[in-house]
Amino acid sequence: GAAALRRLEASRQRDITAYLQRISMPRPVLATAPLEEDAAVWYKRAIAAAASRLSRADNIALGSDFDDVGALERRFGDRCGDAELLLRGARCSHCDWGLTFQRPEPTDPTTILMPARFLAYCLVQEGARRADASDWHGALTAHFAALRFAGDLRLNNLLGGLIGIDVARMGLAGLGRLITNVDPADASVLQTLERDLGKFAPHVLGFGEGPVVERLELFALLESEAQQHATARQGGLGRLVPWRAGTAYRMYQIDNLLRRAGAVVTTEGYDMRLRLAVAVDAEAAANRSPILRATAPAQWWFRLRENADALVECYRMVQVAVRLEEWHGLHGQYPDDTPALRVPFDMGKLEYVALAERQGYRLQSLSVRASVRSSARFVLERRPRPASPVKGSKTQAPALP
């Protein structure tokens, strides 16, 4: 039993070492040389400051309307104040949240969830303010700071991953509004936007470190529970029972269960993922561990995958919108259909409709859930504008990198 527990702990330490190596890799930094500082230090200060300013009514609004920028504008207006803490964090070379891997982080939404959503809204507002002043590159810096914040949140556990997706959606909503409502005279704005969307995609899309971190934290918590259970029963006749071997067997079962729960995010096919999640949570509900019975781990892994898939569609919509604006700059109108754009990713889940003699368009997802309220659906629409003369003699837009 002791040898088996040592093997489990060695495996856990290898996973922790691999995680620390991954988070030490450089993070994308915009428009300036990176600061050799830890972004998490600045994020934590910003989150604490935001939490101290939010009322209960504010938190309720951030819970119900976080994906509706218009509703948040009506609620918060210009209450954000200074965004410098987040902008500084976005310039840092790395981000280390200082995880101990001993227990899951607190899930009280007022401690990080609502403040992070509020901060994402503030960055979007800062970007809009700079755009109004025709500071286009400053506007992009603010919006991409939201994406950097989102990517750094994904280095945390499952809660951090889910919050990061919320933050990324808000940053993309701000970029979408910028693209479809303004016409910067400087063509380099679109080029910069296209380049940086490609640069940030690997750090914003996908599942992040949440599944690994959550598994390691839960395993440590459940191991402590199992060892306490065994220690409490080793007196009297209980000394005749091989409690350490029993604890090792129990932890091997739990480790297998948590790895299967983590596989929910990587399993392709909605129905297959759902069956796996239901099976894992049913097994967890029947486990002897009170903690595991109350956790329903696969439910959160399943939700992370669904939200991550939806975020990919939002990201692709913004990339397509940039390409559409570049096309309009070359041809004086938008294309009839998206194959003409030659984007290097699948457009099968996105719908593009040209409007008003190809002087406007609408982009939306075909796979959005029916339960999502209309005001929160991610739709990019360029209102028709006067036709402009064709510029130059080029016949196609450049491909995305």
Side-chain angles (χ1 to χ4, degrees):
L5 287 173
R6 284 196 297 270
R7 286 195 296 270
L8 277 174
E9 181 60 25
S11 174
R12 180 172 178 273
Q13 289 301 322
R14 286 193 297 270
D15 287 342
I16 292 174
T17 299
Y19 165 84
L20 294 175
Q21 289 174 343
R22 289 193 297 273
I23 69 168
S24 67
M25 297 176 65
R27 314 294 291 163
V29 177
L30 289 174
T32 184
L35 299 173
E36 294 301 322
E37 297 176 353
D38 184 359
V41 172
W42 301 102
Y43 296 151
K44 289 176 181 178
R45 287 178 56 183
I47 288 169
S52 69
R53 297 201 305 268
L54 294 173
S55 67
R56 183 173 181 274
D58 292 335
N59 286 324
I60 291 173
L62 288 163
S64 61
D65 298 324
F66 74 95
D67 48 8
D68 184 349
V69 176
L72 294 181
E73 286 177 338
R74 293 189 291 274
R75 171 75 195 179
F76 295 106
D78 58 356
R79 283 174 49 189
C80 288
D82 195 357
E84 285 305 313
L85 289 175
L86 286 175
L87 291 171
R88 186 175 182 89
R91 294 175 54 198
C92 294
S93 60
H94 64 283
C95 181
D96 183 355
W97 292 96
L99 302 178
T100 63
F101 302 100
Q102 294 304 309
R103 59 184 302 117
E105 297 298 314
T107 55
D108 180 359
T110 62
T111 61
I112 181 171
L113 176 55
M114 303 313 174
R117 288 175 172 177
F118 177 70
L119 292 170
Y121 164 76
C122 291
L123 285 172
V124 169
Q125 291 300 100
E126 178 67 14
R129 183 187 68 78
R130 295 184 179 191
D132 288 341
S134 296
D135 178 9
W136 306 115
H137 290 284
L140 294 184
T141 297
H143 287 306
F144 275 103
L147 295 187
R148 167 65 194 267
F149 184 32
D152 287 342
L153 284 166
R154 293 170 69 250
L155 302 178
N156 216 310
N157 58 11
L158 279 181
L159 178 62
L162 288 166
I163 297 170
I165 291 173
D166 293 347
V167 169
R169 279 181 59 91
M170 296 182 73
L172 292 171
L175 282 173
R177 295 205 327 176
L178 181 70
I179 296 165
T180 56
N181 286 282
V182 300
D183 298 295
D186 185 355
S188 68
V189 172
L190 288 175
Q191 296 169 0
T192 300
L193 179 51
E194 184 176 25
R195 181 198 67 210
D196 290 338
L197 281 168
K199 182 190 301 182
F200 272 74
H203 301 274
V204 178
L205 302 182
F207 323 121
E209 299 295 333
V212 171
V213 172
E214 192 79 7
R215 173 171 57 79
L216 292 169
E217 290 179 337
L218 273 174
F219 184 86
L221 186 63
L222 292 166
E223 184 179 38
S224 175
E225 177 194 55
Q227 290 177 344
Q228 289 173 7
H229 175 83
T231 301
R233 287 159 177 77
Q234 286 178 353
L237 293 177
R239 286 176 291 182
L240 302 177
V241 179
W243 290 107
R244 186 169 293 176
T247 298
Y249 176 71
R250 180 175 177 181
M251 292 314 301
Y252 265 100
Q253 288 183 311
I254 287 174
D255 183 59
N256 178 265
L257 178 67
L258 293 178
R259 289 181 185 276
R260 288 166 53 210
V264 170
V265 298
T266 58
T267 300
E268 298 301 327
Y270 178 90
D271 292 337
M272 189 175 297
R273 281 200 305 273
L274 182 60
R275 286 196 297 270
L276 177 58
V278 170
V280 169
D281 279 348
E283 189 175 334
N287 195 277
R288 289 180 296 171
S289 164
I291 294 175
L292 196 56
R293 288 199 303 269
T295 301
Q299 171 185 327
W300 295 101
W301 270 271
F302 184 83
R303 180 180 172 187
L304 178 68
R305 174 59 189 264
E306 295 302 291
N307 289 7
D309 286 350
L311 181 64
V312 171
E313 295 177 19
C314 297
Y315 210 96
R316 298 309 184 207
M317 286 170 63
V318 174
Q319 289 180 296
V320 171
V322 175
R323 180 61 63 80
L324 287 168
E325 295 304 321
E326 291 176 332
W327 181 281
H328 190 280
L330 289 171
H331 302 284
Q333 58 188 2
Y334 296 105
D336 286 320
D337 50 40
T338 52
L341 300 175
R342 297 173 56 196
V343 293
F345 47 78
D346 181 25
M347 285 281 295
K349 296 182 179 180
L350 303 181
E351 180 185 60
Y352 164 75
V353 179
L355 304 174
E357 298 182 351
R358 295 164 59 186
Q359 293 304 316
Y361 63 84
R362 182 174 60 252
L363 271 173
Q364 60 187 5
S365 171
L366 295 174
S367 60
V368 65
R369 296 188 298 271
S371 60
V372 177
R373 63 193 188 282
S374 58
S375 61
R377 291 177 182 172
F378 198 88
V379 179
L380 298 182
E381 184 167 345
R382 162 66 82 169
R383 292 183 180 179
R385 55 187 181 179
S388 58
V390 177
K391 299 179 181 179
S393 58
K394 296 181 182 179
T395 58
Q396 63 182 26
L400 281 172

